[in-house]
Amino acid sequence: MKKNCLITIATLLLFHALQAQSQKDEVRKIFDEALANGQSYAMLEYLSLGIGNRLSGSPQAAAAVEYTRERMEALRFDSVYLQEVMVPHWIRGHKEVGRMVNSVTYGSKELSVTALGNAVGTGPDGVLAEVVEVQNFNQLDSLGKEKLEGKIVFYNRPMDPKHISAFQAYGGAVNQRVGGASRAAKYGAVGVVARSMTLALDDIPHTGTLVYEEDIPKIPAVAISTIGAEILSSELKRSDKLKFYLETHCEMLPDALSYNVIGEIKGSEFPDEYIVVGGHLDSWDVGDGSHDDGAGCVQSIEVLRIFKALGIHPKRTIRAVMFMNEENGSRGGKEYARAARENGEKHLAALESDAGGFTPRGFGVQCSNEVFSKIMEWADILNAYDLRKIVRGGGGADIGPLKEQGTVLIGFLPDSQRYFDYHHSEADTFDKVNRRELELGAAAMASLIYLIDQNGL
Ligand SMILES: [Zn+2]
């Protein structure tokens, strides 16, 4: 009896050791395939240079839907289909003007601005007003209507460079851009100029979404380059008659029909359990959206391509999802989760790549302690590829709505230091993406998806 028991334990240990070794070997093959035969870079080249930026509702967004569908069909995924979603259709119109007037140093001087996404325009007559600079909402509130009525509010709090994660620095400053317009409009302000969300000091303005609160007048809002912000701030201290002229031509059109693009490989053992890997197909209408988030889309397609190339038959159904409209509405992510609920699809895990195509560092996981311990059992395998940052917390805007059904949410974590140099600006272009870094990211994602699929969670 005792002997039998020992034999059973020894057999189990041997089985586990063999299984771990075979998974370790498979991860090696995944990296080999991504680095030697990778297709993510070629796909991104087409998406970025062949199609260009892809704001929701634009013809380029429609072209990107067709291109990614065609790619996944050509790669012979088990099924490829579109999921309808109505998206906001905001257009920029003519290029905007931001001009300082009555400056003692410059007289009149144009500064680099870009309209914030979803903002109303000033129309051709523009807005000319005195400027009040603030660092935060508390300061704004303390000034109140008396000091702000009829003025342009200039939010100039920089991203805090002391954070090691650039995303944390972004998180600490972005409320000015997202909520600054309505907050200022409550006090009768007529426009907003917000310092660009970047740690770089340069002359490139960075757009991004703003959200108007209901029942508060919608006022025009632009982002100003960090150099422009420095000039405006220093001129405000010198010139008491300084005014700012703002002219934007953006407008919100009726919602447009668009699509999430989905490709899948059917699970061999648990076809009704889903694992999602995705990015968002839309981008802002500046640059070509290579890092944000063309990279995440092509990496997600590449995960499934690698599985097929290596003959990996997943136990669970694996889906690559190109979500539409993350940037100015997140309608794609919401619709995906709604349809999953309606169809009773059980989503075990979802992994989003929406932090750029940079050198992979690891993953942020939103899950129970038990699941996290399980993922940490794979740390040795992942560490061998420099994936050392496996941390609690994370996910992504598109996969977030799956949380309600208990899905484990995972954010891919590439190095964050250069992301905000490019993010939402004319600088987010294909030449900023390094082929190897992009491919390593795809391999990292494929490896984690493979381990989740094989071992469950
Ligand atoms: Zn993004």
Side-chain angles (χ1 to χ4, degrees):
M1 187 64 186
K2 206 173 178 185
K3 196 177 162 193
N4 279 350
C5 195
L6 281 174
I7 290 171
T8 311
I9 291 169
T11 312
L12 269 173
L13 284 174
L14 181 66
F15 174 76
H16 274 288
L18 287 173
Q19 192 187 43
Q21 186 58 45
S22 103
Q23 291 183 2
K24 193 174 165 189
D25 292 346
E26 203 64 38
V27 167
R28 178 68 258 176
K29 287 184 203 160
I30 287 172
F31 271 84
D32 289 351
E33 175 64 23
L35 294 169
N37 305 313
Q39 292 185 18
S40 55
Y41 192 70
M43 287 190 276
L44 186 62
E45 182 174 20
Y46 188 83
L47 205 54
S48 301
L49 303 182
I51 295 174
N53 61 52
R54 308 169 290 281
L55 188 58
S56 291
S58 67
Q60 295 95 318
V65 165
E66 278 312 308
Y67 172 65
T68 49
R69 169 164 79 170
E70 178 275 324
R71 265 301 77 204
M72 292 197 284
E73 280 173 351
L75 290 166
R76 304 203 173 282
F77 295 168
D78 293 342
S79 68
V80 177
Y81 57 97
L82 304 183
Q83 184 174 55
E84 286 190 6
V85 53
M86 295 303 290
V87 295
H89 189 190
W90 179 83
I91 54 166
R92 182 172 300 278
H94 303 301
K95 177 139 183 52
E96 38 294 269
V97 180
R99 186 184 302 130
M100 220 169 34
V101 295
N102 301 337
S103 144
V104 292
T105 315
Y106 301 97
S108 167
K109 182 178 174 62
E110 296 232 349
L111 299 173
S112 300
V113 299
T114 182
L116 292 183
N118 294 351
V120 296
T122 63
D125 295 337
V127 168
L128 178 69
E130 286 174 34
V131 180
V132 178
E133 177 178 341
V134 297
Q135 296 290 306
N136 53 51
F137 290 160
N138 283 345
Q139 201 185 346
L140 183 89
D141 293 340
S142 70
L143 290 169
K145 192 169 177 179
E146 196 188 326
K147 303 263 170 54
L148 297 170
E149 193 164 30
K151 310 282 170 60
I152 288 175
V153 170
F154 170 35
Y155 291 103
N156 194 28
R157 182 168 83 261
M159 282 167 56
D160 183 351
K162 298 192 293 299
H163 289 292
I164 301 307
S165 160
F167 282 88
Q168 259 181 299
Y170 178 71
V174 74
N175 68 339
Q176 302 166 97
R177 188 199 77 207
V178 177
S182 286
R183 193 85 176 212
K186 272 184 205 166
Y187 299 114
V190 292
V192 157
V193 174
R195 184 185 179 96
S196 283
M197 293 295 117
T198 177
L199 286 157
L201 185 62
D202 62 22
D203 205 25
I204 305 165
H206 296 241
T207 189
T209 205
L210 74 64
V211 177
Y212 288 123
E213 286 172 42
E214 270 178 51
D215 304 324
I216 292 174
K218 295 178 177 176
I219 59 172
V222 297
I224 187 167
S225 72
T226 48
I227 283 181
E230 295 293 307
I231 294 173
L232 181 57
S233 182
S234 68
E235 285 313 299
L236 275 169
K237 293 178 184 82
R238 271 175 226 167
S239 320
D240 51 357
K241 294 206 170 60
L242 190 129
K243 289 190 174 182
F244 201 81
Y245 175 72
L246 204 57
E247 187 184 315
T248 60
H249 301 270
C250 40
E251 60 181 310
M252 188 64 89
L253 304 179
D255 283 358
L257 176 62
S258 189
Y259 306 90
N260 293 327
V261 189
I262 301 169
E264 69 180 40
I265 299 178
K266 235 253 113 28
S268 54
E269 278 182 44
F270 312 107
D272 297 334
E273 277 187 23
Y274 294 84
I275 301 173
V276 160
V277 56
H280 64 85
L281 197 50
D282 63 308
S283 75
W284 283 106
D285 60 334
V286 288
D288 62 31
S290 283
H291 276 296
D292 188 13
D293 184 26
C297 290
V298 298
Q299 286 173 324
S300 300
I301 297 174
E302 180 74 349
V303 168
L304 271 62
R305 188 200 68 79
I306 290 171
F307 272 48
K308 281 197 71 97
L310 296 178
I312 298 171
H313 298 291
K315 294 179 181 177
R316 295 159 173 94
T317 297
I318 316 282
R319 275 187 187 156
V321 182
M322 321 292 107
F323 294 95
M324 182 52 71
N325 183 232
E326 188 273 343
E327 295 294 5
N328 63 331
S330 294
R331 301 265 187 92
K334 288 172 195 157
E335 175 55 23
Y336 182 85
R338 192 205 59 76
R341 191 188 330 121
E342 187 177 281
N343 300 328
E345 293 168 352
K346 183 188 169 201
H347 282 67
L348 190 65
L351 165 61
E352 181 154 355
S353 168
D354 186 19
F358 301 99
T359 304
R361 299 287 188 220
F363 303 95
V365 191
Q366 206 181 128
C367 62
S368 65
N369 291 339
E370 197 186 345
V371 167
F372 192 69
S373 308
K374 180 143 197 183
I375 289 174
M376 286 310 286
E377 286 172 17
W378 314 324
D380 277 352
I381 298 180
L382 298 170
N383 286 353
Y385 300 89
D386 279 346
L387 299 167
R388 295 173 195 281
K389 193 177 176 184
I390 317 265
V391 293
R392 300 295 299 264
D398 297 297
I399 58 174
L402 287 169
K403 190 181 164 79
E404 61 172 26
Q405 62 154 283
T407 305
V408 172
L409 303 179
I410 309 169
F412 168 58
L413 299 177
D415 187 90
S416 70
Q417 302 312 327
R418 285 168 289 151
Y419 187 58
F420 293 97
D421 294 358
Y422 310 138
H423 184 248
H424 298 180
S425 82
E426 291 290 353
D428 184 3
T429 49
F430 182 65
D431 56 302
K432 309 301 192 320
V433 177
N434 174 284
R435 177 176 189 143
R436 251 184 102 70
E437 292 179 0
L438 183 75
E439 290 172 349
L440 284 165
M445 291 161 61
S447 300
L448 184 63
I449 297 286
Y450 168 76
L451 291 167
I452 294 171
D453 175 61
Q454 290 297 303
N455 302 298
L457 280 176

